Amino acid sequence: MPDHMSADPAGTRPRVLHLISDSRRGGAQNFARDLHRELGRRGQSSALCALAPHPAVHAGAAETDPGDCPAASGLRTAAVLGPGRLRPSTLRALRSASRAADVVLAHGSDTLAACALALAGTRTPFVYVSVGHPRYWTANRLRRVRGGALMHRAAAVTTLTDEARVVLEEQFALPEGKVHVIPNSRAAESYPPADGRDDRRAARHELGLPADVLLVAWIGAIAPEKRLDLALDVLDRLPDVRLAVAGDGPLLETLARHPAAARAHFLGPLPDPAPLYRAADALLLTSDSEGVPGALIEAALAGVPAVATDVGWVREVVRDGATGALVAPGDPLALAEALGKVLAVNRAGLGAAARAHALEHFELGAVVDAWQRLVAEVWTAGAAPAD
């Protein structure tokens, strides 16, 4: 299975370079890894690089040899290009790595800026993969001006829904046909459901979590818009529940002092979230802003029901009353009531319905054809193979 930038057997398909902001686990990064692996399985040349190390790695230490992205990129790990996302040395390494690619897929906003800068004047086109809700990150004029200037440099832009496409076209005056709608997705095999009680207990033991409690997972950046404070307020109202928090961010130290934090387990960023899904009885999402969250798709594929704030396009993944529950944002009492009900009813039935819905609408195999078509279109539209 190819995991480097060799040419396809007949030289008829473009070589793809996936670029992620850093090597941690996150929505954009997880999707890039899954798509990279699936393209490799289909015999298409694919590589995976990160602009910067995981934030927990010292800024001066590279996790792999920077600048050796095509050869070093494995199926689940990303070669790191430099010490910081937009450092000059990082941009030079990206420009060098792009010479072995025909199309670069830029997963996340930092990669948009990096590609616009590093690939200027080259013959390698890039596609910006937008995964958030555009109304959130275009809330002020400066962001719109900056984002528009960068997106006009991309050969194409992808987004998750038709509504997001309309917002992008209107906010940035993008020409018709430049924005493509491709749903968020994950590889089902990466998120297997727990195989009975013993498997769930084993997953909890692996993560250092208590075996015989009601356990709710919370996954994301511990940043203002993700509202971990609300999740802890919910925990305060449900004394029999424990919360497993996977992620890090600027509010970690502050929220670790929350009164309910004694019943929360702060796991840090997990190298693989799948064991947490197998360990959990439910997933809680408390964000003020989302697109189509990958964590909800991952949990659903793992057969875990979710309680989530009704923001962005969350309702496309969580079907209220059928696969979990939806609640208006910012209301810890309503979230606690909904979570209590989900934990009290047939969790297995809700989880099975969530998995069936995710397999039908968000399984990666169903959308990879669309990605391959788009990459081929960008390649044949005028970009010659890199030197």
Side-chain angles (χ1 to χ4, degrees), residues 151-174:
M151 269 188 272
H152 278 274
R153 300 285 295 272
V157 175
T158 70
T159 192
L160 304 177
T161 68
D162 277 319
E163 183 183 342
R165 175 187 58 78
V166 171
V167 173
L168 289 173
E169 290 175 344
E170 291 178 348
Q171 294 276 20
F172 302 116
L174 297 175

Side-chain angles (χ1 to χ4, degrees), residues 149-332:
L150 296 174
M151 269 188 272
H152 278 274
R153 300 285 295 272
V157 175
T158 70
T159 192
L160 304 177
T161 68
D162 277 319
E163 183 183 342
R165 175 187 58 78
V166 171
V167 173
L168 289 173
E169 290 175 344
E170 291 178 348
Q171 294 276 20
F172 302 116
L174 297 175
E176 184 177 354
K178 184 162 189 166
V179 183
H180 301 255
V181 177
I182 303 180
N184 201 358
S185 58
R186 292 291 188 272
E189 65 187 51
S190 296
Y191 307 100
D195 185 15
R197 183 180 178 186
D198 288 344
D199 190 24
R200 179 157 301 178
R201 289 171 64 93
R204 293 186 180 191
H205 178 75
E206 177 185 345
L207 295 170
L209 297 170
D212 296 312
V213 297
L214 287 172
L215 183 70
V216 175
W218 188 99
I219 298 178
I222 305 178
E225 70 277 7
K226 299 298 184 179
R227 299 301 307 271
L228 177 58
D229 61 308
L230 281 180
L232 292 170
D233 288 345
V234 168
L235 190 63
D236 211 17
R237 290 168 166 81
L238 298 174
D240 296 330
V241 174
R242 298 288 187 94
L243 187 71
V245 178
D248 60 8
L251 298 181
L252 174 59
E253 186 176 342
T254 298
L255 293 177
R257 297 194 294 268
H258 189 284
R263 286 188 288 114
H265 304 267
F266 292 90
L267 305 177
L270 297 177
D272 180 3
L276 181 54
Y277 296 127
R278 292 199 302 276
D281 294 301
L283 178 76
L284 180 62
L285 184 141
T286 49
S287 302
D288 283 340
S289 175
E290 289 286 354
V292 181
L296 290 179
I297 296 172
E298 294 164 7
L301 288 170
V304 178
V307 174
T309 45
D310 190 7
V311 295
W313 301 286
V314 163
R315 60 175 50 242
E316 295 197 6
V317 185
V318 179
R319 297 300 173 93
D320 190 34
T323 70
L326 292 173
V327 177
D331 188 342

